Amino acid sequence: MASDNSNIKAFQESAAGEKIAFTKDASHPGRFVFTMPQPPTFTNVEDERRHLKQRLVAAYRVFSKLGLDEGIAGHLTCRDPEYPDLFWVNPFGKSFSCITAKDLLLVDHSGNVVKGHSPLNAAAFVIHSKIHAARPDAVAACHSHSLHGKAFSSLAKPILPITQDACMFYNDHALFPGFNGVVADEAEGERMAETLAGHKALILQNHGLLTVGGSVDEAAFWFIALDRSCQAQLLAESAGTPICISDEVARDSHRTVGSAISGWFNFQPYYERIIREQPDILDVDEEDGKLVL
């Protein structure tokens, strides 16, 4: 029997600056609507750059806190707001737990470090340059060798809609088949970008996970949620045969929990916690917003 989803709660994007509200939907009796807050907007590029770099640093720290990093592997990037063909990335070999805004490297799509003096991870360039070039809407991209993500990737199959959270990725992720070793070939990065297409996530077989988003917050949360969806499916399938949510409900749920604003908003509790525990993340000064090439 198909589930009755007439009372499923939905997100409604609100105007910038609007506060959270919970109201009844006048056009659908018995249905409720959450009015969500919006990401901040900026009147100058310097403030936006400071914000992006601060959020990127916070994302590294959150990944470390959650154990999503693995040695020297992994890279999180964000597109520069003034120069969209440049992106900020972590230096090779530095712990996610220690990264600051001043550690970040600014890299172009040819692999040149245009700001910063630390070494660049070749795989970070090969993967992220192609993703950012192919997806102008992707402000940020996250890739790491998280435990559950790499375990699940070895199965070479997609995430099933077995939970509400898994519906974030319903028809919105792809599998990159095969493993050809450490990514050092630009053609491999191009194939990853082609496979990702318009989706928010990519499962890299025998490798790990990759997510993108219209903000650092969104991309980071999608990665956290995808790794946990991998874990949930591994656990469920080890115990038996999980029952999938119907296509109709999964599609409807995806419109809610899989929306860009939902991804951004879901990262805010992680951000709130990490800056309370590690307030040095907030040490982003005016110089961090300036960029002279």
Side-chain angles (χ1 to χ4, degrees):
M1 179 184 297
S3 299
D4 179 5
N5 63 345
S6 60
N7 292 322
I8 291 177
K9 298 173 183 177
F11 290 137
Q12 175 179 299
E13 295 194 14
S14 58
E18 199 168 314
K19 295 182 178 180
I20 301 173
F22 175 62
T23 59
K24 289 186 177 181
D25 186 340
S27 60
H28 296 86
R31 189 181 177 100
F32 295 88
V33 174
F34 289 107
T35 301
M36 307 299 291
Q38 295 290 291
T41 57
F42 303 91
T43 58
N44 63 74
V45 72
E46 291 80 13
D47 285 347
E48 185 174 2
R49 183 176 292 118
R50 279 198 297 270
H51 171 81
L52 286 170
K53 292 169 74 174
Q54 183 184 74
R55 292 290 168 145
L56 190 58
V57 169
Y60 292 125
R61 303 289 187 89
V62 168
F63 271 45
S64 179
K65 181 82 175 178
L66 298 178
L68 298 176
D69 51 350
E70 179 84 12
I72 61 173
H75 11 89
L76 283 57
T77 57
C78 72
R79 192 188 303 273
D80 187 79
E82 184 176 9
Y83 301 98
D85 57 340
L86 305 179
F87 60 91
W88 296 93
V89 63
N90 49 302
F92 190 32
K94 191 168 184 71
S95 171
F96 278 17
S97 66
C98 300
I99 291 175
T100 68
K102 289 179 171 52
D103 292 322
L104 298 175
L105 304 178
L106 186 61
V107 181
D108 67 17
H109 290 179
S110 297
N112 300 306
V113 177
V114 300
K115 187 173 180 61
H117 304 287
S118 300
L120 170 66
N121 184 335
F125 159 68
V126 168
I127 296 173
H128 290 255
S129 64
K130 304 308 178 186
I131 296 294
H132 283 295
R135 288 285 299 273
D137 62 310
V139 171
C142 300
H143 168 63
S144 190
H145 299 179
S146 58
L147 178 60
H148 305 111
K150 62 187 178 184
F152 187 84
S153 74
S154 70
L155 303 175
K157 62 182 183 180
I159 291 293
L160 298 175
I162 59 173
T163 68
Q164 174 179 296
D165 293 335
C167 291
M168 296 174 185
F169 305 99
Y170 181 77
N171 288 340
D172 202 5
H173 70 291
L175 171 67
F176 184 75
F179 177 71
N180 299 308
V182 176
V183 182
D185 183 350
E186 289 190 72
E188 186 87 340
E190 290 172 355
R191 288 193 294 272
M192 288 182 179
E194 290 172 1
T195 304
L196 176 65
H199 300 306
K200 64 160 62 86
L202 194 60
I203 297 173
L204 307 171
Q205 184 181 325
N206 305 109
H207 188 170
L209 309 176
L210 184 145
T211 58
V212 298
S215 65
V216 173
D217 309 57
E218 182 190 347
F221 177 72
W222 293 146
F223 191 98
I224 295 167
L226 183 56
D227 187 74
R228 289 185 170 179
S229 292
C230 289
Q231 181 183 15
Q233 188 165 328
L234 288 168
L235 289 170
E237 291 181 334
S238 70
T241 302
I243 297 172
C244 287
I245 296 168
S246 72
D247 290 341
E248 178 188 3
V249 174
R251 276 193 300 270
D252 189 79
S253 298
H254 175 266
R255 286 194 291 269
T256 300
V257 299
S259 67
I261 191 63
S262 175
W264 172 83
F265 190 45
N266 267 291
F267 185 71
Q268 304 318 301
Y270 292 100
Y271 180 75
E272 180 181 25
R273 175 185 178 184
I274 204 69
I275 61 171
R276 176 168 294 188
E277 295 178 349
Q278 302 177 32
D280 66 295
I281 293 170
L282 301 175
D283 294 339
V284 180
D285 56 33
E286 288 188 8
E287 292 301 315
D288 291 311
K290 297 177 181 178
L291 180 58
V292 179
L293 299 180

